[in-house]
Amino acid sequence: MSFMPTFSSLDQLADIQLDGLKWTVDHAYKGSAFYRNKLDAAGITPSDIQSVDDLKYLPLTTSQDLSDDYPFPLLSTPMSEVVRIHASSGTTGKRKVLCYTRKDIEDWTNFFARCYEMAELTHEDRVQICVGYGVWTAGVSFQAGCEKFGAMAIPAGPGNLEMQMEFLVDFKTTVMCCTASMGLLLAEEVERRGLRDRIHLKKMIYGSERSSDAMRSRIRKLLNLSDMYDIPGMTELYGPGTGLECRAHDGIHYWADYYILEILNPETLEPVADGEVGEMVITTLRKEAAPLIRYRTRDLTAMKKGMCSCGSLLPRHDRILGRSDDMFIVKAVNVYPGQIDSALGLVNGIGCEYQVVVDRVDGKDVMRLRVECAQGEDSSLMSDKARVVKDTIRRKILVTPDVEIVPYGTLPRSERKTKRVIDNREN
Ligand code: ZN
């Protein structure tokens, strides 16, 4: 049984998207006072949607709209059709709560099964799911998708390293699902206990936060993995599983038969040129309880050009390169922290932690970049390395920073979000 979409050309995909767009606008207009008011104010009726291109006339939806409409925002079906709710952790402002109908849950489960298919699992695989269970979208969806696909789910939850190690060895887990930082923690524990020859892990599906190339290659090496797959996801758009890297590891295939992705300049709200970085704006095609119409995710990425070498017709976006709120401008260049992550990933011998300090000196912007050296390296011997970092940043981001390599472990870190950019010009 395959969970891949059945369209066989991009024209067919466009037809699916037009049908889904028409249905969504009509459904939201009829079912939700919030959307009806918004569309009325913009002077648009559902019958105005005649092509996917008409998307651009629709008003944008923001996270502010979700908090204004708390606790059940965007609800477009009667409450009696809602079978489940999920909520985000609410790290910024009020918690986001989203409603799901039975069909929403089925759709989500089906396209999550597609993730495991994209990662080329088989029914023989044993999948240790080390993500949060509860009101969050993660645990339950990883598990439902795994069962639907037909592999064996081990609902381990996050944390509890002792138990994770026991499961890895005793249950012969072959696939680990976790955040990248949990993955690194597990990998280092396996190394510390000398368990590498006693475990059977082959793949990791990781997500939900930034991770550098350095971090990924360390996890891969410590666990002797054949493949690692980045999985995107946000509560507003069902949850995790809305796309996956394929074996070509050249971007994330996203499920364009379930949602339309636009990449807009976060300041002008116009589409960026093909391949340029911008904000992901999402319109769902089948979501019943809480459909999204041009929802501004604040996540930054770029479309990948051309067809993937794996042969899939599903389009691709780049990794999530950060939040549009985190963007800063140096010498008239837009800089996103995620771009610094990717640039640093190209340099050997340095760690994955860094800090950017931007000042204005004599009316000019000055960007200073402090980067940790890799574990076991001597930072005082790395002036050559600083030059390499400087050149790499200049080449990739078009800004030339002052670079200082500092000892491993000296920059601040935190479990969730570390503040990496200090902009002194705002004061
Ligand atoms: Zn591919």
Side-chain angles (χ1 to χ4, degrees):
M1 180 174 182
S2 174
F3 298 93
M4 289 297 166
T6 50
F7 62 84
S8 56
S9 71
L10 293 178
D11 285 345
Q12 277 181 25
L13 173 59
D15 291 343
I16 292 172
Q17 291 191 329
L18 180 56
D19 287 348
L21 178 61
K22 283 179 170 175
W23 176 84
T24 297
V25 174
D26 187 57
H27 170 73
Y29 190 85
K30 286 180 183 150
S32 149
F34 164 80
Y35 275 128
R36 192 164 50 248
N37 291 339
K38 250 186 129 135
L39 289 164
D40 282 345
I44 293 168
T45 60
S47 59
D48 291 335
I49 303 298
Q50 293 301 323
S51 78
V52 171
D53 214 35
D54 293 334
L55 188 60
K56 61 173 182 275
Y57 302 118
L58 296 172
L60 294 152
T61 309
T62 65
S63 59
Q64 187 59 46
D65 294 327
L66 266 68
S67 7
D68 291 349
D69 214 12
Y70 184 87
F72 302 125
L74 317 182
L75 187 64
S76 304
T77 57
M79 204 62 202
S80 57
E81 289 180 25
V82 173
V83 300
R84 194 198 287 170
I85 62 160
H86 280 291
S88 71
S89 52
T91 44
T92 50
K94 213 172 204 172
R95 225 176 260 302
K96 292 180 189 118
V97 182
L98 277 303
C99 294
Y100 300 72
T101 65
R102 180 171 291 116
K103 180 176 177 295
D104 291 337
I105 299 286
E106 283 167 6
D107 283 348
W108 187 15
T109 303
N110 279 318
F111 69 65
F112 209 125
R114 184 186 289 177
C115 293
Y116 295 110
E117 185 173 343
M118 182 68 88
E120 299 175 89
L121 269 63
T122 72
H123 291 188
E124 303 304 317
D125 274 301
R126 300 171 180 195
V127 185
Q128 195 160 323
I129 299 167
C130 317
V131 298
Y133 281 77
V135 77
W136 329 124
T137 50
V140 66
S141 60
F142 271 94
Q143 179 164 342
C146 178
E147 291 166 358
K148 183 87 189 177
F149 173 78
M152 183 178 98
I154 305 170
N160 202 343
L161 281 181
E162 193 64 42
M163 186 185 75
Q164 307 286 1
M165 293 300 119
E166 192 182 309
F167 287 1
L168 277 179
V169 174
D170 295 352
F171 300 158
K172 300 185 172 61
T173 304
T174 56
V175 180
M176 186 74 94
C177 300
C178 52
T179 62
S181 40
M182 177 72 182
L184 184 58
L185 217 60
L186 287 162
E188 288 177 336
E189 190 63 15
V190 165
E191 170 79 355
R192 200 177 66 77
R193 297 183 183 213
L195 292 177
R196 190 157 67 199
D197 296 335
R198 295 178 57 205
I199 62 171
H200 299 74
L201 267 186
K202 289 182 298 199
K203 294 173 181 178
M204 182 177 285
I205 296 174
Y206 67 94
S208 89
E209 57 177 341
R210 74 172 258 288
S211 64
S212 63
D213 288 335
M215 191 170 177
R216 279 188 294 273
S217 66
R218 184 161 161 80
I219 294 172
R220 187 172 177 161
K221 197 173 134 210
L222 289 177
L223 293 173
N224 199 19
L225 299 174
S226 65
D227 260 308
M228 294 179 69
Y229 303 92
D230 195 347
I231 189 166
M234 68 185 77
T235 307
E236 301 92 308
L237 180 60
Y238 300 91
T242 48
L244 198 81
E245 264 182 23
C246 68
R247 62 174 181 273
H249 301 290
D250 185 22
I252 293 167
H253 287 283
Y254 67 91
W255 312 150
D257 50 339
Y258 284 90
Y259 61 96
I260 295 174
L261 178 57
E262 295 173 272
I263 309 286
L264 304 185
N265 179 314
E267 309 213 316
T268 65
L269 300 175
E270 293 294 321
V272 299
D274 199 22
E276 271 180 27
V277 175
E279 182 176 325
M280 301 172 84
V281 173
I282 284 172
T283 302
T284 56
L285 301 172
R286 315 187 193 189
K287 211 161 176 269
E288 291 183 336
L292 302 179
I293 296 179
R294 301 196 85 201
Y295 178 70
R296 293 189 62 181
T297 65
R298 306 279 166 183
D299 282 333
L300 297 165
T301 193
M303 285 294 189
K304 286 276 182 181
K305 293 181 187 174
M307 296 295 299
C308 184
S309 62
C310 78
S312 171
L313 286 173
L314 285 160
R316 291 163 301 148
H317 63 75
D318 207 340
R319 285 194 192 115
I320 308 300
L321 298 170
R323 308 270 302 162
S324 57
D325 312 320
D326 297 337
M327 185 192 85
F328 57 99
I329 302 174
V330 181
K331 297 174 188 169
V333 177
N334 293 359
V335 183
Y336 306 109
Q339 294 176 295
I340 300 177
D341 280 332
S342 350
L344 293 178
L346 302 170
V347 183
N348 291 322
I350 57 168
C352 31
E353 292 296 333
Y354 67 88
Q355 193 176 60
V356 174
V357 182
V358 191
D359 285 292
R360 184 161 282 138
V361 180
D362 299 332
K364 284 183 184 162
D365 292 334
V366 177
M367 175 171 155
R368 282 181 297 147
L369 176 61
R370 304 171 75 214
V371 186
E372 283 187 6
C373 62
Q375 199 169 8
E377 300 274 351
D378 184 347
S379 62
S380 64
L381 302 175
M382 299 196 93
S383 56
D384 283 354
K385 200 58 83 178
R387 208 157 31 242
V388 176
V389 170
K390 187 172 181 162
D391 286 346
T392 308
I393 298 283
R394 182 174 55 211
R395 227 168 356 102
K396 293 286 172 188
I397 304 180
L398 310 175
V399 174
T400 310
D402 293 331
V403 177
E404 183 191 358
I405 309 281
V406 300
Y408 178 82
T410 49
L411 292 177
R413 342 162 122 53
S414 69
E415 274 287 308
R416 288 189 65 85
K417 277 197 166 178
T418 308
K419 187 170 167 54
R420 292 188 166 78
V421 180
I422 298 163
D423 195 338
N424 293 323
R425 299 169 301 178
E426 293 154 359
N427 305 326

